[in-house]
Amino acid sequence: MPELPEVETTVAGLRSVLEGAVLTRVDPRRADLRFPIPVDLRQRLTGATVTALSRRAKYGLIDTDRGDTLIFHLGMSGRWRIDPAEIGAHDHLLIETSGGRLLALNDPRRFGSLDLVRSELWESYSPFTRMGPEPLGPDFTAAALADRLHGKATSIKAALLDQRIVAGLGNIYVCEALNMAGIAPTRQAGRIGRTRLALLVEAIREVLTAAIAAGGSTLRDYARPDGELGYFSKQWRVYGREGEPCHCGTPIHRRVDGGRSTFFCPKCQK
């Protein structure tokens, strides 16, 4: 699944094409993805000017001058294609701009979503009301994380994947950050001290920032809007590297919890 860095990279790619552009054609090619697509999406967006693009957790937001915000989620396999040579069966939303550009939202598995809300109300959009702070934002601190983890008997890995604790983190970057901070993924979340949580917060920020700079991770069907694959996977410390040496020389282990693989170093992470 595209995670926060992939969505940030996608939004940056879309911004270069969409910001300030008039949407001359908006064509949903099916009635639903994971959820129904708003029936008035074409009417409300056609002729509108894009004023801004941003991200909340793993969602992209496209604002228009009509006071509407298009909210998209890429699901498991979604990606935006810019100026595709041809339209495919899995291109479920087409957008043309006054500048002659064509964008296609491609989602073979249809686990993504499209929604349209009034811009002044986007913060009260149902998925967002339950979310914790952005991991790259000023509200994500060791103190704030300690408060949210207080009394949690679950593992720190599971806690960080809980969007109510912190928004936008996924399996890849949680594994990477825990390794960087030297914290075992199975350690009880509520029993980690403030000093170690400060290291964890810094590690999360560092790994996400590096991944965004690298353009995201090459994982399954993910690609940036310009069609270039991300390459942060070449820098992974532990993810997907079972049996390979950690930087300390110890073979990296893998365990499966809740259907998700966790990669870690049994020596470095305590």
Side-chain angles (χ1 to χ4, degrees):
M1 176 182 293
E3 298 186 20
L4 186 154
E6 288 75 47
V7 179
E8 185 72 29
T9 301
T10 294
V11 168
L14 292 175
R15 184 178 292 117
S16 66
V17 175
L18 283 179
E19 194 164 46
V22 176
L23 308 182
T24 56
R25 176 191 174 199
V26 178
D27 182 17
R29 304 180 71 216
R30 59 177 298 116
D32 60 359
L33 293 176
R34 185 175 184 182
F35 307 110
I37 296 172
V39 295
D40 58 351
L41 185 141
R42 176 187 284 108
Q43 176 186 354
R44 289 167 63 181
L45 292 181
T46 302
T49 299
V50 175
T51 56
L53 294 93
S54 56
R55 177 195 55 77
R56 174 65 167 125
K58 301 176 188 177
Y59 291 81
L61 290 79
I62 303 175
D63 297 334
T64 76
D65 63 344
R66 293 180 179 172
D68 288 319
T69 296
L70 177 65
I71 300 177
F72 67 85
H73 192 287
L74 297 174
M76 294 292 292
S77 60
R79 64 186 179 110
W80 286 90
R81 302 200 299 146
I82 295 177
D83 297 324
E86 58 184 34
I87 302 304
H90 301 301
D91 290 325
H92 303 309
L93 175 68
L94 303 180
I95 295 178
E96 291 184 10
T97 75
S98 54
R101 309 300 296 273
L102 174 64
L103 295 96
L105 178 59
N106 184 280
D107 188 358
R109 299 173 194 167
R110 301 202 304 273
F111 285 147
S113 65
L114 285 167
D115 214 338
L116 195 61
V117 302
R118 295 299 296 170
S119 299
E120 70 270 18
L121 301 176
W122 76 262
E123 291 184 351
S124 60
Y125 182 58
S126 179
F128 298 162
T129 60
R130 302 182 295 272
M131 285 184 180
E134 286 285 328
L136 294 176
D139 295 333
F140 185 57
T141 63
L145 183 58
D147 289 342
R148 290 178 177 272
L149 295 179
H150 180 72
K152 294 282 186 183
T154 187
S155 71
I156 185 60
K157 167 83 183 298
L160 292 177
L161 291 175
D162 184 343
Q163 300 297 291
R164 297 169 297 181
I165 302 296
V166 56
L169 293 184
N171 197 39
I172 296 174
Y173 300 109
V174 168
C175 287
E176 292 292 289
L178 287 172
N179 177 260
M180 185 178 291
I183 298 174
T186 53
R187 179 166 290 280
Q188 187 173 323
R191 297 178 65 86
I192 300 175
R194 187 70 61 90
T195 300
R196 301 195 76 192
L197 288 180
L199 294 175
L200 179 57
V201 166
E202 183 59 31
I204 289 171
R205 291 181 181 276
E206 185 173 338
V207 73
L208 291 177
T209 300
I212 291 169
S217 297
T218 301
L219 180 65
R220 296 182 180 174
D221 303 314
Y222 172 69
R224 297 190 303 194
D226 60 9
E228 295 182 23
L229 294 176
Y231 51 90
F232 186 70
S233 58
K234 296 178 182 178
Q235 304 173 29
W236 284 344
R237 298 167 62 94
V238 290
Y239 189 85
R241 297 186 56 226
E242 179 184 11
E244 297 179 29
C246 172
H247 63 85
C248 73
T250 304
I252 293 167
H253 287 206
R254 180 178 75 94
R255 56 179 288 147
V256 178
D257 302 293
R260 288 175 170 173
S261 292
T262 299
F263 298 89
F264 65 101
C265 173
K267 180 178 179 180
C268 291
Q269 296 174 245
K270 303 296 183 183

